[in-house]
């Protein structure tokens, strides 16, 4: 949608991970979306639409990704005793992990591109996968 | 405020909870605000304006809400020994709980409505209530 | 950049802290930036561009700042055993602390000013300093 030089654009990324927990780098998907949106200056929101998945920005280094996963497991452990499981679910820890890592980031767009620091990479963090789930990308800003 | 098809609108939700800690679903309040804002495409920021309260998005399931509260208590426990208490306050844990759960979400607006996933519900998380506190709703986007 | 009454403005704050960990109040920097942006209604994003630093909003009270630092150290401790350290880095805990405190806030702009609650103060949280690092300020909204 464009009006008087202002643009809003939306896209959905779909995921269906092989493993229950998987972290996927999505910086290029977001960058391509922004390139197609023809926005010079503005914001893009990247937000997980399912409540057992998150989105965060940090380093694309496999050791660190391992550390983050260990850390989340320590602070929000898988456990059979969550009260949420009385509903028949078994993913209480996945809800808590999403809260801890957070479910969205807002990335600034400058001169038509993602304005990220040198090591900033956007990740989708799946905590209860093996089924179809979505991330919304929504950009708002001034046209190029 | 409207200018050339661009709209910004603001509203404040007030809370004065009966209990010190209370989680309140506010999805409908935010949806009604967005309906009145006449924005087709954009964002709405939902942000707790007091530093012992938060806003988060997760499931509206009473067992899970219990689990989240237990989890916050474990990771950011009430404790008489916080240095902040030397000021006469007794709510050190409430500040930490707000940091852990986070104090704001940005919700995308698509086709005039909140663009939330199937289970996403917006919650106000009060950690030091029994007095008047506010949440700001601010929407920005293209007019319908 | 201004188009039809819509303004986008960007600025970068630079930090080079004396200590490895340092928390710096930046509310006035953000307020001055917004005053210069001539935006009446909109948002300003405040986002740390380096992956071992964060941005958060809470009280400007020295006891509480001490409590927050103690708490982060407890939940994301310095430790020689992070796998990330196999790359030669020694800052695994700083990455986790950034994830815990979060790296960005969106502050609403109302009537040309930051629309913060009475005790809300914006902080830059450095976890691996003693070198040059940046925070981006990007505002988007309707002209005054």
């Amino acid at each position: 949608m464009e009006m008087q030089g202002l643009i809003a654009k939306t896209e959905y990324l779909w995921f269906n991970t092989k493993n229950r927990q998987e972290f996927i780098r999505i910086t290029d998907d977001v960058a391509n979306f922004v390139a197609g949106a023809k926005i010079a200056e503005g914001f893009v929101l990247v937000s997980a639409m399912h409540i057992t998945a998150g989105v965060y920005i940090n380093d694309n280094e496999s050791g660190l990704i391992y550390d983050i996963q260990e850390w989340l497991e320590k602070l929000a452990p898988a456990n059979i005793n969550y009260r949420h499981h009385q509903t028949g679910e078994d993913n209480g820890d996945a809800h808590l992990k999403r809260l801890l890592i957070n479910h969205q980031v807002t990335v600034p767009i400058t001169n038509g591109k993602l304005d990220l620091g040198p090591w900033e990479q956007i990740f989708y963090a799946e905590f209860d996968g093996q089924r179809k789930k979505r991330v919304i990308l929504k950009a708002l800003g001034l046209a190029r």
Side-chain angles (χ1 to χ4, degrees), chain A residues 23-39:
Chain A
F23 284 19
I24 299 167
R25 197 179 70 89
I26 57 171
T27 317
D28 298 342
D29 302 273
V30 181
N32 290 336
F33 165 70
V34 164
K38 300 188 189 313
I39 290 173

Side-chain angles (χ1 to χ4, degrees), chain A residues 36-96:
Chain A
K38 300 188 189 313
I39 290 173
E41 296 289 327
F43 298 124
V44 54
L45 175 73
V46 184
S47 190
M49 300 182 79
H50 293 256
I51 51 188
T52 51
V55 169
Y56 74 93
I57 290 180
N58 217 298
D59 202 357
N60 183 26
E61 195 277 300
S62 62
L64 182 70
I65 291 170
Y66 175 91
D67 293 330
I68 294 171
Q69 292 178 337
E70 286 279 295
W71 176 70
L72 291 168
E73 192 57 42
K74 196 176 125 203
L75 294 189
N79 186 323
I80 55 165
N81 296 319
Y82 290 115
R83 194 167 291 196
H84 183 48
H85 296 175
Q86 294 178 6
T87 63
E89 293 282 354
D90 64 355
N91 60 4
D93 67 304
H95 288 276
L96 302 181

Side-chain angles (χ1 to χ4, degrees), chain A residues 15 17 22-24 26 48 53-55 122-126 133 135:
Chain A
F15 299 89
T17 60
E22 224 166 279
F23 284 19
I24 299 167
I26 57 171
V55 169
I122 311 167
F123 283 88
Y124 173 69
E126 176 63 80
K133 289 164 90 171
V135 165

Side-chain angles (χ1 to χ4, degrees), chain A residues 107-139:
Chain A
V107 183
I109 303 168
T110 304
N111 294 325
K113 292 186 179 163
L114 297 180
D115 199 346
L116 292 168
W119 303 99
E120 284 193 308
Q121 296 284 341
I122 311 167
F123 283 88
Y124 173 69
E126 176 63 80
F127 300 114
D128 187 21
Q130 300 169 323
R131 51 196 169 112
K132 283 181 77 180
K133 289 164 90 171
R134 280 194 300 172
V135 165
I136 185 169
L137 309 181
K138 179 162 302 246

